[in-house]
Amino acid sequence: MSRFAVALWFATGCAFAAGGQSTSEMAPAELATLAQQFLAKAAAVDSPDSDVRVTVNPLDARLRFPACDNLVLTSHGARVGRTSVTARCDQPQPWAASLTATVAVWRPVAVLVHALPAGTTIRAEDVEMQARNVADLRDSYITDINRAVGWAVRRPTAGDSVLSARQLVAPIAVNKGDEVRIRSGDGPIAVSMNGTALGDGMPGEQIAVRNVQSERVIKAWVVAPGLVSTGPRTQ
């Protein structure tokens, strides 16, 4: 994981002097607040328009740290989930402290409304956007509902499941036995003929197709339902 550091400069010698604390020392709660703000800002940069919630585990309240002219906070480990922060002061009196924290980033992701069998094509009513803590999601989540609608689930998927890209496959556009149009060539010299699909295929896949007129079996790329092409990636 990347490491990053941000220097926090205090013109008065202590960030919380106005709060009633002596400028000669910094309380653990003040240090925890600085760490919370530091982590929240970093998470907000990584995940704009998200609800960032940072919880810093408290230090021993009896600890006291000398006031610092230039306090540097450095994060270690993940930007979301469990992480830690080192606070380091070089002057006027060197000291360092380590704090642990949890960073939660809540954002809308695609979630199945109900269970779907394997191979089912997702309809608009099957999925909705719900706020989830992405720190708890292991797979790549989907933030655009249009990325899910029209695709099929690879395996049986339970309701209330967060959808990930690797769970989805392009839906079958042509089924074995379907009557299809075989398109050959492009532009003004393009021709088409009738055929019969000899296998199932998703858009972009190559399947065997029988030319109805010549009875010749050829390989063709699936373009859309009812349409195949002898040239790959033809639109």
Side-chain angles (χ1 to χ4, degrees):
M1 294 294 179
S2 62
R3 295 179 57 185
F4 58 100
V6 174
L8 300 178
W9 298 83
F10 306 118
T12 62
C14 180
F16 291 87
Q21 284 287 341
S22 168
T23 57
S24 64
E25 65 180 25
M26 181 184 298
E30 297 171 343
L31 190 58
T33 298
L34 290 176
Q36 188 273 336
Q37 295 171 347
F38 170 69
L39 291 172
K41 183 176 180 180
V45 171
D46 290 341
S47 304
D49 302 321
S50 299
D51 179 12
V52 177
R53 309 174 191 176
V54 179
T55 302
V56 177
N57 296 321
L59 295 170
D60 189 329
R62 295 169 295 181
L63 294 174
R64 287 295 181 272
F65 303 96
C68 186
D69 294 336
N70 178 21
L71 182 66
V72 177
L73 301 181
T74 306
S75 71
H76 307 276
R79 298 285 190 98
V80 298
R82 293 184 178 180
T83 189
S84 63
V85 175
T86 297
R88 186 176 300 278
C89 180
D90 293 326
Q91 58 182 348
Q93 181 177 341
W95 57 266
S98 180
L99 303 92
T100 57
T102 302
V103 180
V105 177
W106 290 76
R107 63 181 308 182
V109 297
V111 178
L112 274 185
V113 175
H114 43 248
L116 292 179
T120 303
T121 300
I122 298 173
R123 302 166 299 172
E125 56 266 35
D126 297 326
V127 63
E128 65 183 18
M129 302 301 289
Q130 296 180 9
R132 296 294 176 91
N133 180 12
V134 299
D136 296 333
L137 306 181
R138 296 181 179 180
D139 293 332
S140 57
Y141 46 87
I142 296 173
T143 58
D144 182 357
I145 199 168
N146 294 319
R147 175 62 181 84
V149 174
W151 288 68
V153 290
R154 190 184 302 274
R155 294 178 293 274
T157 308
D160 202 41
S161 295
V162 174
L163 291 173
S164 68
R166 69 176 185 173
Q167 286 178 290
L168 306 181
V169 294
I172 298 296
V174 173
N175 293 283
K176 182 179 180 180
D178 284 354
E179 297 300 316
V180 297
R181 293 292 293 171
I182 305 170
R183 188 165 66 190
S184 179
D186 201 3
I189 59 173
V191 296
S192 64
M193 60 212 79
N194 293 326
T196 302
L198 302 181
D200 300 336
M202 299 180 295
E205 285 189 327
Q206 194 178 49
I207 63 172
V209 179
R210 176 178 288 109
N211 185 318
V212 173
Q213 184 175 358
S214 68
E215 292 296 320
R216 180 186 173 193
V217 176
I218 63 172
K219 292 288 187 179
W221 279 267
V222 176
V223 177
L227 178 63
V228 299
S229 173
T230 56
R233 302 184 184 277
T234 301
Q235 299 300 318

PDB file of all heavy atoms in Angstrom, residues 144-171:
ATOM      1  N   ASP A 144     -22.372   2.021 -11.188  1.00  0.00           N
ATOM      2  CA  ASP A 144     -23.293   2.479 -12.229  1.00  0.00           C
ATOM      3  C   ASP A 144     -24.290   1.364 -12.498  1.00  0.00           C
ATOM      4  O   ASP A 144     -23.911   0.283 -12.959  1.00  0.00           O
ATOM      5  CB  ASP A 144     -22.528   2.838 -13.498  1.00  0.00           C
ATOM      6  CG  ASP A 144     -23.428   3.368 -14.608  1.00  0.00           C
ATOM      7  OD1 ASP A 144     -24.669   3.415 -14.410  1.00  0.00           O
ATOM      8  OD2 ASP A 144     -22.896   3.719 -15.678  1.00  0.00           O
ATOM      9  N   ILE A 145     -25.559   1.610 -12.196  1.00  0.00           N
ATOM     10  CA  ILE A 145     -26.567   0.554 -12.335  1.00  0.00           C
ATOM     11  C   ILE A 145     -26.677   0.064 -13.777  1.00  0.00           C
ATOM     12  O   ILE A 145     -27.029  -1.094 -14.034  1.00  0.00           O
ATOM     13  CB  ILE A 145     -27.932   1.047 -11.807  1.00  0.00           C
ATOM     14  CG1 ILE A 145     -28.847  -0.140 -11.504  1.00  0.00           C
ATOM     15  CG2 ILE A 145     -28.577   2.035 -12.786  1.00  0.00           C
ATOM     16  CD1 ILE A 145     -30.085   0.229 -10.726  1.00  0.00           C
ATOM     17  N   ASN A 146     -26.336   0.915 -14.739  1.00  0.00           N
ATOM     18  CA  ASN A 146     -26.397   0.510 -16.147  1.00  0.00           C
ATOM     19  C   ASN A 146     -25.335  -0.532 -16.493  1.00  0.00           C
ATOM     20  O   ASN A 146     -25.442  -1.203 -17.517  1.00  0.00           O
ATOM     21  CB  ASN A 146     -26.233   1.735 -17.051  1.00  0.00           C
ATOM     22  CG  ASN A 146     -27.392   2.699 -16.923  1.00  0.00           C
ATOM     23  OD1 ASN A 146     -28.548   2.289 -16.851  1.00  0.00           O
ATOM     24  ND2 ASN A 146     -27.103   3.989 -16.867  1.00  0.00           N
ATOM     25  N   ARG A 147     -24.327  -0.650 -15.627  1.00  0.00           N
ATOM     26  CA  ARG A 147     -23.306  -1.682 -15.826  1.00  0.00           C
ATOM     27  C   ARG A 147     -23.830  -3.064 -15.450  1.00  0.00           C
ATOM     28  O   ARG A 147     -23.258  -4.075 -15.852  1.00  0.00           O
ATOM     29  CB  ARG A 147     -22.067  -1.340 -14.989  1.00  0.00           C
ATOM     30  CG  ARG A 147     -20.959  -2.373 -14.993  1.00  0.00           C
ATOM     31  CD  ARG A 147     -20.385  -2.607 -16.365  1.00  0.00           C
ATOM     32  NE  ARG A 147     -19.345  -3.629 -16.323  1.00  0.00           N
ATOM     33  CZ  ARG A 147     -19.566  -4.932 -16.367  1.00  0.00           C
ATOM     34  NH1 ARG A 147     -20.807  -5.390 -16.445  1.00  0.00           N
ATOM     35  NH2 ARG A 147     -18.564  -5.798 -16.326  1.00  0.00           N
ATOM     36  N   ALA A 148     -24.926  -3.110 -14.711  1.00  0.00           N
ATOM     37  CA  ALA A 148     -25.487  -4.395 -14.276  1.00  0.00           C
ATOM     38  C   ALA A 148     -26.708  -4.804 -15.097  1.00  0.00           C
ATOM     39  O   ALA A 148     -26.853  -5.984 -15.448  1.00  0.00           O
ATOM     40  CB  ALA A 148     -25.863  -4.320 -12.793  1.00  0.00           C
ATOM     41  N   VAL A 149     -27.582  -3.850 -15.398  1.00  0.00           N
ATOM     42  CA  VAL A 149     -28.805  -4.171 -16.141  1.00  0.00           C
ATOM     43  C   VAL A 149     -28.450  -4.650 -17.546  1.00  0.00           C
ATOM     44  O   VAL A 149     -27.656  -4.032 -18.253  1.00  0.00           O
ATOM     45  CB  VAL A 149     -29.729  -2.942 -16.221  1.00  0.00           C
ATOM     46  CG1 VAL A 149     -30.932  -3.231 -17.115  1.00  0.00           C
ATOM     47  CG2 VAL A 149     -30.190  -2.546 -14.826  1.00  0.00           C
ATOM     48  N   GLY A 150     -29.049  -5.782 -17.923  1.00  0.00           N
ATOM     49  CA  GLY A 150     -28.793  -6.350 -19.235  1.00  0.00           C
ATOM     50  C   GLY A 150     -27.701  -7.400 -19.242  1.00  0.00           C
ATOM     51  O   GLY A 150     -27.532  -8.109 -20.240  1.00  0.00           O
ATOM     52  N   TRP A 151     -26.969  -7.514 -18.139  1.00  0.00           N
ATOM     53  CA  TRP A 151     -25.945  -8.555 -18.007  1.00  0.00           C
ATOM     54  C   TRP A 151     -26.528  -9.723 -17.226  1.00  0.00           C
ATOM     55  O   TRP A 151     -27.552  -9.598 -16.557  1.00  0.00           O
ATOM     56  CB  TRP A 151     -24.711  -8.004 -17.304  1.00  0.00           C
ATOM     57  CG  TRP A 151     -23.938  -7.055 -18.170  1.00  0.00           C
ATOM     58  CD1 TRP A 151     -24.338  -5.816 -18.578  1.00  0.00           C
ATOM     59  CD2 TRP A 151     -22.663  -7.280 -18.755  1.00  0.00           C
ATOM     60  NE1 TRP A 151     -23.384  -5.244 -19.370  1.00  0.00           N
ATOM     61  CE2 TRP A 151     -22.334  -6.114 -19.504  1.00  0.00           C
ATOM     62  CE3 TRP A 151     -21.752  -8.319 -18.719  1.00  0.00           C
ATOM     63  CZ2 TRP A 151     -21.149  -5.983 -20.212  1.00  0.00           C
ATOM     64  CZ3 TRP A 151     -20.554  -8.191 -19.414  1.00  0.00           C
ATOM     65  CH2 TRP A 151     -20.269  -7.046 -20.160  1.00  0.00           C
ATOM     66  N   ALA A 152     -25.874 -10.853 -17.302  1.00  0.00           N
ATOM     67  CA  ALA A 152     -26.362 -12.064 -16.636  1.00  0.00           C
ATOM     68  C   ALA A 152     -25.451 -12.420 -15.464  1.00  0.00           C
ATOM     69  O   ALA A 152     -24.241 -12.169 -15.494  1.00  0.00           O
ATOM     70  CB  ALA A 152     -26.421 -13.225 -17.620  1.00  0.00           C
ATOM     71  N   VAL A 153     -26.048 -13.011 -14.410  1.00  0.00           N
ATOM     72  CA  VAL A 153     -25.245 -13.467 -13.273  1.00  0.00           C
ATOM     73  C   VAL A 153     -24.590 -14.792 -13.630  1.00  0.00           C
ATOM     74  O   VAL A 153     -25.213 -15.687 -14.186  1.00  0.00           O
ATOM     75  CB  VAL A 153     -26.098 -13.600 -11.990  1.00  0.00           C
ATOM     76  CG1 VAL A 153     -26.510 -12.227 -11.493  1.00  0.00           C
ATOM     77  CG2 VAL A 153     -27.332 -14.461 -12.223  1.00  0.00           C
ATOM     78  N   ARG A 154     -23.312 -14.900 -13.309  1.00  0.00           N
ATOM     79  CA  ARG A 154     -22.541 -16.096 -13.661  1.00  0.00           C
ATOM     80  C   ARG A 154     -22.963 -17.309 -12.838  1.00  0.00           C
ATOM     81  O   ARG A 154     -22.991 -18.437 -13.338  1.00  0.00           O
ATOM     82  CB  ARG A 154     -21.052 -15.815 -13.440  1.00  0.00           C
ATOM     83  CG  ARG A 154     -20.103 -16.872 -13.989  1.00  0.00           C
ATOM     84  CD  ARG A 154     -18.664 -16.517 -13.623  1.00  0.00           C
ATOM     85  NE  ARG A 154     -18.266 -15.221 -14.131  1.00  0.00           N
ATOM     86  CZ  ARG A 154     -17.774 -15.034 -15.365  1.00  0.00           C
ATOM     87  NH1 ARG A 154     -17.633 -16.063 -16.190  1.00  0.00           N
ATOM     88  NH2 ARG A 154     -17.419 -13.814 -15.746  1.00  0.00           N
ATOM     89  N   ARG A 155     -23.282 -17.063 -11.565  1.00  0.00           N
ATOM     90  CA  ARG A 155     -23.667 -18.138 -10.643  1.00  0.00           C
ATOM     91  C   ARG A 155     -24.955 -17.758  -9.924  1.00  0.00           C
ATOM     92  O   ARG A 155     -25.331 -16.577  -9.928  1.00  0.00           O
ATOM     93  CB  ARG A 155     -22.549 -18.373  -9.617  1.00  0.00           C
ATOM     94  CG  ARG A 155     -21.263 -18.915 -10.199  1.00  0.00           C
ATOM     95  CD  ARG A 155     -20.200 -19.063  -9.125  1.00  0.00           C
ATOM     96  NE  ARG A 155     -19.778 -17.759  -8.617  1.00  0.00           N
ATOM     97  CZ  ARG A 155     -18.833 -17.028  -9.189  1.00  0.00           C
ATOM     98  NH1 ARG A 155     -18.228 -17.453 -10.280  1.00  0.00           N
ATOM     99  NH2 ARG A 155     -18.496 -15.862  -8.669  1.00  0.00           N
ATOM    100  N   PRO A 156     -25.615 -18.708  -9.247  1.00  0.00           N
ATOM    101  CA  PRO A 156     -26.775 -18.323  -8.432  1.00  0.00           C
ATOM    102  C   PRO A 156     -26.372 -17.250  -7.427  1.00  0.00           C
ATOM    103  O   PRO A 156     -25.337 -17.374  -6.764  1.00  0.00           O
ATOM    104  CB  PRO A 156     -27.156 -19.631  -7.724  1.00  0.00           C
ATOM    105  CG  PRO A 156     -26.611 -20.716  -8.600  1.00  0.00           C
ATOM    106  CD  PRO A 156     -25.343 -20.169  -9.189  1.00  0.00           C
ATOM    107  N   THR A 157     -27.160 -16.205  -7.338  1.00  0.00           N
ATOM    108  CA  THR A 157     -26.786 -15.054  -6.509  1.00  0.00           C
ATOM    109  C   THR A 157     -27.930 -14.712  -5.559  1.00  0.00           C
ATOM    110  O   THR A 157     -29.078 -14.589  -5.977  1.00  0.00           O
ATOM    111  CB  THR A 157     -26.456 -13.833  -7.384  1.00  0.00           C
ATOM    112  OG1 THR A 157     -25.483 -14.211  -8.372  1.00  0.00           O
ATOM    113  CG2 THR A 157     -25.899 -12.706  -6.546  1.00  0.00           C
ATOM    114  N   ALA A 158     -27.594 -14.593  -4.276  1.00  0.00           N
ATOM    115  CA  ALA A 158     -28.607 -14.339  -3.258  1.00  0.00           C
ATOM    116  C   ALA A 158     -29.068 -12.892  -3.295  1.00  0.00           C
ATOM    117  O   ALA A 158     -28.350 -11.995  -3.747  1.00  0.00           O
ATOM    118  CB  ALA A 158     -28.048 -14.677  -1.876  1.00  0.00           C
ATOM    119  N   GLY A 159     -30.293 -12.687  -2.802  1.00  0.00           N
ATOM    120  CA  GLY A 159     -30.800 -11.332  -2.666  1.00  0.00           C
ATOM    121  C   GLY A 159     -29.976 -10.541  -1.669  1.00  0.00           C
ATOM    122  O   GLY A 159     -29.351 -11.115  -0.765  1.00  0.00           O
ATOM    123  N   ASP A 160     -29.933  -9.251  -1.815  1.00  0.00           N
ATOM    124  CA  ASP A 160     -29.173  -8.332  -0.975  1.00  0.00           C
ATOM    125  C   ASP A 160     -27.665  -8.486  -1.182  1.00  0.00           C
ATOM    126  O   ASP A 160     -26.875  -8.033  -0.359  1.00  0.00           O
ATOM    127  CB  ASP A 160     -29.516  -8.516   0.509  1.00  0.00           C
ATOM    128  CG  ASP A 160     -29.174  -7.275   1.337  1.00  0.00           C
ATOM    129  OD1 ASP A 160     -29.419  -6.163   0.858  1.00  0.00           O
ATOM    130  OD2 ASP A 160     -28.641  -7.428   2.455  1.00  0.00           O
ATOM    131  N   SER A 161     -27.277  -9.116  -2.296  1.00  0.00           N
ATOM    132  CA  SER A 161     -25.854  -9.272  -2.602  1.00  0.00           C
ATOM    133  C   SER A 161     -25.350  -8.057  -3.373  1.00  0.00           C
ATOM    134  O   SER A 161     -26.006  -7.578  -4.293  1.00  0.00           O
ATOM    135  CB  SER A 161     -25.610 -10.527  -3.452  1.00  0.00           C
ATOM    136  OG  SER A 161     -25.932 -11.695  -2.739  1.00  0.00           O
ATOM    137  N   VAL A 162     -24.174  -7.588  -2.995  1.00  0.00           N
ATOM    138  CA  VAL A 162     -23.520  -6.525  -3.753  1.00  0.00           C
ATOM    139  C   VAL A 162     -22.918  -7.152  -5.005  1.00  0.00           C
ATOM    140  O   VAL A 162     -22.175  -8.129  -4.932  1.00  0.00           O
ATOM    141  CB  VAL A 162     -22.421  -5.847  -2.919  1.00  0.00           C
ATOM    142  CG1 VAL A 162     -21.652  -4.838  -3.766  1.00  0.00           C
ATOM    143  CG2 VAL A 162     -23.023  -5.170  -1.700  1.00  0.00           C
ATOM    144  N   LEU A 163     -23.254  -6.611  -6.156  1.00  0.00           N
ATOM    145  CA  LEU A 163     -22.767  -7.162  -7.413  1.00  0.00           C
ATOM    146  C   LEU A 163     -21.351  -6.685  -7.694  1.00  0.00           C
ATOM    147  O   LEU A 163     -21.001  -5.533  -7.442  1.00  0.00           O
ATOM    148  CB  LEU A 163     -23.678  -6.739  -8.563  1.00  0.00           C
ATOM    149  CG  LEU A 163     -25.076  -7.360  -8.575  1.00  0.00           C
ATOM    150  CD1 LEU A 163     -25.926  -6.712  -9.665  1.00  0.00           C
ATOM    151  CD2 LEU A 163     -25.005  -8.871  -8.786  1.00  0.00           C
ATOM    152  N   SER A 164     -20.551  -7.601  -8.228  1.00  0.00           N
ATOM    153  CA  SER A 164     -19.206  -7.244  -8.662  1.00  0.00           C
ATOM    154  C   SER A 164     -19.074  -7.551 -10.143  1.00  0.00           C
ATOM    155  O   SER A 164     -19.834  -8.357 -10.698  1.00  0.00           O
ATOM    156  CB  SER A 164     -18.150  -8.031  -7.874  1.00  0.00           C
ATOM    157  OG  SER A 164     -18.205  -9.404  -8.201  1.00  0.00           O
ATOM    158  N   ALA A 165     -18.114  -6.927 -10.787  1.00  0.00           N
ATOM    159  CA  ALA A 165     -17.939  -7.098 -12.227  1.00  0.00           C
ATOM    160  C   ALA A 165     -17.665  -8.554 -12.594  1.00  0.00           C
ATOM    161  O   ALA A 165     -18.143  -9.043 -13.619  1.00  0.00           O
ATOM    162  CB  ALA A 165     -16.805  -6.202 -12.717  1.00  0.00           C
ATOM    163  N   ARG A 166     -16.924  -9.263 -11.752  1.00  0.00           N
ATOM    164  CA  ARG A 166     -16.579 -10.639 -12.117  1.00  0.00           C
ATOM    165  C   ARG A 166     -17.742 -11.618 -11.910  1.00  0.00           C
ATOM    166  O   ARG A 166     -17.658 -12.767 -12.323  1.00  0.00           O
ATOM    167  CB  ARG A 166     -15.355 -11.101 -11.345  1.00  0.00           C
ATOM    168  CG  ARG A 166     -15.528 -11.315  -9.863  1.00  0.00           C
ATOM    169  CD  ARG A 166     -14.238 -11.861  -9.280  1.00  0.00           C
ATOM    170  NE  ARG A 166     -14.358 -12.208  -7.877  1.00  0.00           N
ATOM    171  CZ  ARG A 166     -13.397 -12.822  -7.190  1.00  0.00           C
ATOM    172  NH1 ARG A 166     -12.261 -13.120  -7.788  1.00  0.00           N
ATOM    173  NH2 ARG A 166     -13.558 -13.112  -5.920  1.00  0.00           N
ATOM    174  N   GLN A 167     -18.821 -11.159 -11.265  1.00  0.00           N
ATOM    175  CA  GLN A 167     -20.015 -11.995 -11.135  1.00  0.00           C
ATOM    176  C   GLN A 167     -20.869 -11.979 -12.397  1.00  0.00           C
ATOM    177  O   GLN A 167     -21.756 -12.799 -12.542  1.00  0.00           O
ATOM    178  CB  GLN A 167     -20.884 -11.493  -9.977  1.00  0.00           C
ATOM    179  CG  GLN A 167     -20.364 -11.790  -8.591  1.00  0.00           C
ATOM    180  CD  GLN A 167     -21.290 -11.208  -7.544  1.00  0.00           C
ATOM    181  OE1 GLN A 167     -21.378  -9.992  -7.378  1.00  0.00           O
ATOM    182  NE2 GLN A 167     -21.991 -12.066  -6.834  1.00  0.00           N
ATOM    183  N   LEU A 168     -20.611 -11.011 -13.282  1.00  0.00           N
ATOM    184  CA  LEU A 168     -21.495 -10.802 -14.422  1.00  0.00           C
ATOM    185  C   LEU A 168     -20.860 -11.264 -15.727  1.00  0.00           C
ATOM    186  O   LEU A 168     -19.644 -11.187 -15.901  1.00  0.00           O
ATOM    187  CB  LEU A 168     -21.858  -9.320 -14.540  1.00  0.00           C
ATOM    188  CG  LEU A 168     -22.457  -8.658 -13.301  1.00  0.00           C
ATOM    189  CD1 LEU A 168     -22.778  -7.211 -13.589  1.00  0.00           C
ATOM    190  CD2 LEU A 168     -23.702  -9.411 -12.833  1.00  0.00           C
ATOM    191  N   VAL A 169     -21.705 -11.746 -16.616  1.00  0.00           N
ATOM    192  CA  VAL A 169     -21.280 -12.102 -17.971  1.00  0.00           C
ATOM    193  C   VAL A 169     -22.266 -11.477 -18.945  1.00  0.00           C
ATOM    194  O   VAL A 169     -23.420 -11.221 -18.600  1.00  0.00           O
ATOM    195  CB  VAL A 169     -21.226 -13.633 -18.183  1.00  0.00           C
ATOM    196  CG1 VAL A 169     -20.143 -14.260 -17.328  1.00  0.00           C
ATOM    197  CG2 VAL A 169     -22.576 -14.274 -17.890  1.00  0.00           C
ATOM    198  N   ALA A 170     -21.792 -11.234 -20.144  1.00  0.00           N
ATOM    199  CA  ALA A 170     -22.704 -10.720 -21.158  1.00  0.00           C
ATOM    200  C   ALA A 170     -23.790 -11.765 -21.405  1.00  0.00           C
ATOM    201  O   ALA A 170     -23.521 -12.968 -21.421  1.00  0.00           O
ATOM    202  CB  ALA A 170     -21.943 -10.418 -22.448  1.00  0.00           C
ATOM    203  N   PRO A 171     -25.039 -11.366 -21.584  1.00  0.00           N
ATOM    204  CA  PRO A 171     -26.123 -12.328 -21.778  1.00  0.00           C
ATOM    205  C   PRO A 171     -25.991 -13.052 -23.107  1.00  0.00           C
ATOM    206  O   PRO A 171     -25.387 -12.547 -24.056  1.00  0.00           O
ATOM    207  CB  PRO A 171     -27.375 -11.437 -21.756  1.00  0.00           C
ATOM    208  CG  PRO A 171     -26.884 -10.102 -22.215  1.00  0.00           C
ATOM    209  CD  PRO A 171     -25.505  -9.977 -21.658  1.00  0.00           C
TER     210      PRO A 171
END
